[in-house]
Amino acid sequence: MTGQPGRGRPLDPTTQDRVDLGFTRGDTLLVTGAASGIGRAVALNAARMGLRVSAWDLQAGPLATLAEEIGATGGEVMTVVGDVSDEATVRDGFAELAGRFGPARYLANNAGPPSSVPLEFDEAVRISVGSVRRMTETWAATGLPEGAAMVATTSVAGNLVGTESDWYSASKAAVMGYVRHLAAHRAGEFRSNGVAPGMTDTPRLAGYADSEAGQHILGRIPLRRMGSADDMALAILFLLSPLAAYVNGVLLPVDGGWTVTQ
Ligand SMILES: NC(=O)c1ccc[n+]([C@@H]2O[C@H](COP(=O)([O-])OP(=O)(O)OC[C@H]3O[C@@H](n4cnc5c(N)ncnc54)[C@H](O)[C@@H]3O)[C@@H](O)[C@H]2O)c1
């Protein structure tokens, strides 16, 4: 979806190859949910900026495609296939990462189930919030380099608006609560921040913009377009980057101004 003139056209990162946000080439970024949407855009943009990428996802096929794409442009990538809410996957994934790239300076906790799935509440919170905590604690135990940083993909849901799915709003607010805890009590090890995407054009929202509910939201977004996966990825990468060295504990809405119209 393209933007209107003067309404914040989405950046085309493929033409922005001089942008590196101050990252050191060869540093490692781990991103979960990397096979699709926002996580995939984080992985691709990070690789373009010279970072090594550890890409984790449930979906083996799309993850392999991502790895091929990064490899074809000379980037370095390793993949972990599995569920980030599963203890063994996380333990084994970090062991593999240690053997390949060593500790990752940057962690993007991005994976999470779609709000459209009718999950049982307790189980949904375990998956959505528990996975972020498990990934973060395991990552922190690897012996982090100076300047380490973590960003969680939360949502406007639960943090700035209440949405229909009870577990989704509750989980996204809980993830941000955990981020605030980390920012306050673990800042000696790493910085922690949250990005809150608004309505974002990823496979999970395919067709939604054309629905009545989607049109209603679009009509209230001052920038008059959905966010792109790159819009979210670049905000995540900024918060991870050295440019954000003094940013700790914030929730950054990336929603085209939607929530200020609520
Ligand atoms: N798209 C939006 O409008 C929107 C809005 C607000 C927040 N978000 C959040 O952004 C994040 C990414 O969403 P997206 O829109 O890119 O979705 P997406 O469906 O395009 O991609 C999500 C990826 O995460 C993977 N994944 C899900 N659960 C996993 C698990 N337990 N272990 C490993 N991998 C897992 C999926 O396989 C998929 O590849 C999610 O946390 C979502 O809640 C999205």
Side-chain angles (χ1 to χ4, degrees), residues 203-251:
R204 77 171 50 178
L205 281 200
Y208 185 72
D210 297 326
S211 69
E212 201 178 318
Q215 283 293 311
H216 178 72
I217 294 175
L218 262 182
R220 297 189 68 163
I221 298 174
L223 290 180
R224 293 287 185 274
R225 65 173 177 87
M226 293 176 88
S228 68
D230 285 325
D231 287 326
M232 305 308 143
L234 293 167
I236 290 167
L237 287 164
F238 164 70
L239 286 174
L240 289 172
S241 79
L243 296 189
Y246 200 58
V247 184
N248 185 36
V250 303
L251 172 72

Side-chain angles (χ1 to χ4, degrees), residues 46-240:
R48 268 181 214 121
M49 293 173 189
L51 295 172
R52 289 162 149 181
V53 177
S54 180
W56 297 38
D57 204 286
L58 285 167
Q59 304 185 71
L63 205 51
T65 306
L66 170 78
E68 272 167 37
E69 257 176 75
I70 291 176
T73 55
E76 283 189 82
V77 60
M78 61 155 289
T79 58
V80 173
V81 179
D83 181 343
V84 292
S85 71
D86 175 64
E87 189 177 355
T89 299
V90 174
R91 186 190 57 229
D92 296 350
F94 273 100
E96 205 182 322
L97 171 62
R100 287 285 302 279
F101 293 163
R105 197 185 301 265
Y106 305 111
L107 171 63
N109 270 312
N110 169 74
S115 60
S116 53
V117 176
L119 293 173
E120 193 274 318
F121 190 90
D122 289 4
E123 177 64 357
V125 173
R126 184 193 71 76
I127 296 170
S128 314
V129 190
S131 64
V132 172
R133 180 170 185 271
R134 188 182 299 285
M135 286 296 298
T136 305
E137 293 297 335
T138 313
W139 169 69
T142 59
L144 297 179
E146 246 335 274
M150 188 281 285
V151 168
T153 308
T154 67
S155 178
V156 295
N159 289 295
L160 297 163
V161 296
T163 52
E164 193 176 343
S165 164
D166 60 355
W167 68 261
Y168 190 78
S169 282
S171 298
K172 289 302 191 185
V175 167
M176 196 54 215
Y178 178 59
V179 168
R180 291 185 176 114
H181 155 78
L182 294 170
H185 295 280
R186 304 287 290 274
E189 299 164 76
F190 55 94
R191 291 183 299 106
S192 303
N193 292 290
V195 160
M199 194 166 82
T200 309
D201 194 5
T202 67
R204 77 171 50 178
L205 281 200
Y208 185 72
D210 297 326
S211 69
E212 201 178 318
Q215 283 293 311
H216 178 72
I217 294 175
L218 262 182
R220 297 189 68 163
I221 298 174
L223 290 180
R224 293 287 185 274
R225 65 173 177 87
M226 293 176 88
S228 68
D230 285 325
D231 287 326
M232 305 308 143
L234 293 167
I236 290 167
L237 287 164
F238 164 70
L239 286 174
L240 289 172

